[in-house]
Amino acid sequence: MLTRKFFSRKYAIIGLIFGALFLVLLGALIFKPRAGTPHFLYAITGDSTAGRALSGPMGVEVAPDGRIFVADSGNAQIQVFDSRGKYLLSLGRGALGYPVALVYAGHRLYVADSGLNKVAVFDDKGSQGPPLLDNLRLPGAGVVVRPTAIAAGPGDLFSIADAANQRILVLDARGQLVRQFGSPGSGQGNFLYPNGLALDNMGNIYVADSNNRRIQIFDKNGQFSVQFHGNEDLNNAGPLSLPRGLAVTEDGQVIVVDVFANMVRSFNQKGKEVWNFGGMGTEKGRFNFPNGLAVDRKGRIYVADRENNRVQVFGY
């Protein structure tokens, strides 16, 4: 009887050990950063024969079902494409001023419109509802708010970069102000034209502090955590020149569009540069004043290549 109990306990312990090892290995496979530098897959330009050619696109977003939303800024509308880049429909024509940034959340598309100083909202059928951002609901009504970036996070909260007042606004799904942080300047927690936002799985807020040429990271309550300028000089890229489009991947990579460098750059959580690609030009994989950025569930990277009037898509 003692021997049987001993062996039962022994094999139970061995089973637990192997189970723990399996979970560790599985986690390593799931969260292992992708190797190598992304390569060009295809470009989206719209349909010039039907009068749907993109004009100066500033932002891009990808829905979980693969639909691609493009802020067709020069035409003051949103163009929607399927996962292969085929045109589906347009949104907001005649109702938007200068759309610059997009986020898809809760079966709705939220559009940061810096021309009309609002965040417009469209449902999955393309119908426009009440705006998320309404100056009358913010403290100090009458203060002009210029939304330049938007990100959705846990708890149905939305972070919005307000470049007119050098701050980040956090609103709930009804458009009510939850908190705000930031002020003009170059110190920790200050901003000069914040123009990119992203959130990680923990709710930390990443801000492309464009004219300060840095990325600042804050906790979910808006408390400053860390910053980096991209000084590794990988491939002679040098420090960040004008960071704008921003995304954080599932494995923690911080991917940044560096406008003046005409590059897409990836950093780890310590600010060390992992890879970069691009350069000035019209060829595949090159850019002319790129701006917005999105990453889909498969890790593909979508870049709004503004002056080349296209969105370029990259994968591994």
Side-chain angles (χ1 to χ4, degrees):
M1 182 66 70
L2 290 175
T3 302
R4 184 178 299 173
K5 288 184 177 180
F6 172 78
F7 278 107
S8 297
R9 184 175 299 173
K10 178 181 177 181
Y11 286 120
I13 293 172
I14 292 173
L16 289 173
I17 292 172
F18 276 101
L21 288 172
F22 173 77
L23 291 175
V24 171
L25 290 172
L26 180 62
L29 288 172
I30 292 174
F31 297 106
K32 182 180 179 181
R34 296 174 182 268
T37 302
H39 60 271
F40 175 84
L41 295 177
Y42 65 93
I44 300 171
T45 59
D47 186 353
S48 59
T49 62
R52 304 190 192 106
L54 295 174
S55 175
M58 291 284 285
V60 60
E61 173 67 322
V62 185
D65 62 8
R67 283 176 297 158
I68 303 164
F69 300 91
V70 180
D72 185 11
S73 308
N75 291 320
Q77 65 179 353
I78 307 302
Q79 291 203 42
V80 187
F81 304 85
D82 68 15
S83 59
R84 297 168 295 176
K86 180 182 178 181
Y87 174 83
L88 296 176
L89 73 156
S90 297
L91 305 174
R93 182 181 287 273
L96 298 174
Y98 193 69
V100 295
L102 313 169
V103 68
Y104 184 86
H107 299 287
R108 290 180 174 83
L109 181 71
Y110 296 81
V111 181
D113 185 346
S114 65
L116 297 181
N117 303 316
K118 68 178 183 179
V119 173
V121 184
F122 297 87
D123 64 21
D124 266 342
K125 296 180 180 179
S127 300
Q128 186 173 2
L132 174 71
L133 177 63
D134 181 346
N135 288 349
L136 297 178
R137 289 199 293 262
L138 296 176
V143 174
V144 175
V145 175
R146 187 181 181 190
T148 51
I150 183 169
D156 293 328
L157 296 180
F158 295 84
S159 297
I160 299 168
D162 175 14
N165 299 286
Q166 315 302 337
R167 62 181 176 174
I168 305 300
L169 302 170
V170 180
L171 307 182
D172 65 19
R174 299 172 299 163
Q176 299 296 318
L177 182 67
V178 176
R179 70 180 66 90
Q180 60 180 314
F181 59 94
S183 58
S186 299
Q188 294 180 354
N190 298 140
F191 302 113
L192 284 179
Y193 206 79
N195 210 307
L197 278 174
L199 274 69
D200 65 18
N201 292 330
M202 302 297 293
N204 296 311
I205 303 170
Y206 297 67
V207 182
D209 186 11
S210 299
N211 287 14
N212 279 323
R213 303 179 180 183
R214 65 185 177 183
I215 304 299
Q216 294 198 71
I217 305 174
F218 302 83
D219 68 16
K220 62 182 181 181
N221 296 314
Q223 296 298 310
F224 174 82
S225 176
V226 69
Q227 65 180 1
F228 60 85
H229 295 262
N231 293 320
E232 291 294 327
D233 204 21
L234 179 67
N235 297 331
N236 298 314
L240 290 167
S241 63
L242 189 71
R244 285 195 172 181
L246 186 62
V248 181
T249 66
E250 290 291 330
D251 56 37
Q253 290 185 79
V254 183
I255 304 178
V256 184
V257 171
D258 193 356
V259 178
F260 289 160
N262 289 291
M263 300 184 78
V264 177
R265 308 172 66 171
S266 178
F267 301 86
N268 65 20
Q269 287 290 311
K270 295 182 179 179
K272 179 179 177 60
E273 195 156 4
V274 179
W275 51 252
N276 57 50
F277 63 86
M280 180 74 171
T282 59
E283 304 89 348
K284 296 175 181 179
R286 290 185 172 272
F287 306 105
N288 191 357
F289 282 82
N291 194 80
L293 176 79
V295 178
D296 70 14
R297 291 183 171 184
K298 295 181 179 179
R300 289 175 296 204
I301 299 167
Y302 301 72
V303 183
D305 188 8
R306 187 181 73 185
E307 293 303 309
N308 282 328
N309 299 311
R310 64 187 179 185
V311 170
Q312 295 197 67
V313 185
F314 301 85
Y316 292 87

